[in-house]
């Protein structure tokens, strides 16, 4: 069965999402939201998958990777050049990752699939018919970045936040941000 997936990202005013393999801001509550959202399942016997590019994976502090309680799938064209723990699934493309989730035992206990970065993975994901939503944290400040979120396709529109997504402007460390959910319009 082919499951739809969602993207989750925090973006500053200049569309930045990272610098030198790290986040340019320190927002503990936003990171907790990311963790809670990408771990949340309705069926306690299932877990979620997080799909990310190699740079995103290695940008996670070593003590926190692989991301716990989720199947970590890392996209890299050169898997043999890197060492991943046995619990991490390395795939050469988003298509290969989705195919493995659809057709192998990797997908049997997966409830939700999350795309968590970086730029080219987000771009390819949002162009896919299987992309349902983008959970976007709008950081209301400019940060120096070297990684950027691609333009949101016009097929996505803002929808009302779900019960687990805080509404209104949040503030932490004198940085304001707001959670938004974009959903792909169905034709």
């Amino acid at each position: 069965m082919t499951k739809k997936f969602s993207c989750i990202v925090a973006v500053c005013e200049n569309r930045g999402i990272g610098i030198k393999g790290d986040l340019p801001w320190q927002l503990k509550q936003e990171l907790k939201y990311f963790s809670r959202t990408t771990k949340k399942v309705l069926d306690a016997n299932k877990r979620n998958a997080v799909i990310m590019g190699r740079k995103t994976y290695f940008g996670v502090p070593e003590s926190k990777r692989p991301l716990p309680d989720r199947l970590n799938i890392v996209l890299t064209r050169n898997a043999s050049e890197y060492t991943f723990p046995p619990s991490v699934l390395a795939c050469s493309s988003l298509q290969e990752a989705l195919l493995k989730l659809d057709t192998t035992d990797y997908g049997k206990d997966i409830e939700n699939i999350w795309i968590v970065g970086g730029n080219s993975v987000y771009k390819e994901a949002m162009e896919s018919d299987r992309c349902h939503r983008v959970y976007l944290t709008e950081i209301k400040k400019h940060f120096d970045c070297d990684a950027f979120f691609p333009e949101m396709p016009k097929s996505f529109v803002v929808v009302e936040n779900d019960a687990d997504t805080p509404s209104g402007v949040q503030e932490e460390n004198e940085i304001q941000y707001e959670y938004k959910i974009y959903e792909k319009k169905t034709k």
Side-chain angles (χ1 to χ4, degrees), residues 7-184:
C7 299
I8 186 166
V9 63
V11 180
C12 66
E13 288 178 339
N14 57 328
R15 305 195 68 70
I17 57 174
I19 186 159
K20 296 180 180 149
D22 202 356
L23 295 174
W25 45 78
Q26 295 292 316
L27 299 171
K28 281 188 177 166
Q29 292 308 311
E30 205 284 327
L31 279 175
K32 284 181 182 175
Y33 166 79
F34 168 88
S35 181
R36 188 175 63 246
T37 303
T38 59
K39 285 180 184 177
K40 182 178 182 269
V41 290
L42 299 176
D43 180 343
N45 296 314
K46 296 198 175 217
R47 63 182 177 153
N48 294 333
V50 286
I51 300 175
M52 68 199 87
R54 173 187 49 81
K55 291 179 188 171
T56 300
Y57 177 79
F58 286 113
V60 174
E62 197 168 349
S63 64
K64 300 207 181 331
R65 70 175 188 247
L67 296 175
D69 306 322
R70 291 153 282 188
L71 171 62
N72 286 232
I73 302 174
V74 179
L75 306 182
T76 177
R77 289 180 203 87
N78 306 311
S80 61
E81 293 179 25
Y82 302 97
T83 304
F84 298 104
S87 63
V88 171
L89 177 60
C91 294
S92 62
S93 67
L94 179 59
Q95 293 319 109
E96 180 190 349
L98 294 171
L99 185 64
K100 283 193 176 181
L101 289 173
D102 290 344
T103 63
T104 71
D105 283 348
Y106 284 110
K108 75 179 183 316
D109 70 339
I110 298 300
E111 186 168 296
N112 300 298
I113 303 167
W114 291 94
I115 307 297
V116 300
N119 172 293
S120 62
V121 182
Y122 285 133
K123 184 172 179 7
E124 183 180 359
M126 288 189 298
E127 290 169 355
S128 168
D129 290 339
R130 291 175 64 173
C131 187
H132 173 58
R133 284 182 158 185
V134 176
Y135 288 72
L136 188 139
T137 303
E138 211 174 73
I139 297 178
K140 299 175 180 302
K141 190 171 179 178
H142 183 101
F143 286 88
D144 286 333
C145 293
D146 59 14
F148 299 88
F149 190 67
E151 284 295 319
M152 182 87 67
K154 295 197 182 334
S155 56
F156 285 87
V157 295
V158 176
V159 296
E160 192 174 317
N161 284 2
D162 55 35
D164 297 319
T165 301
S167 293
V169 176
Q170 314 292 311
E171 188 166 336
E172 188 178 347
N173 297 335
E174 298 180 7
I175 299 169
Q176 292 189 331
Y177 56 96
E178 189 170 3
Y179 300 110
K180 299 213 170 155
I181 300 174
Y182 290 80
E183 195 166 280
K184 189 177 275 188

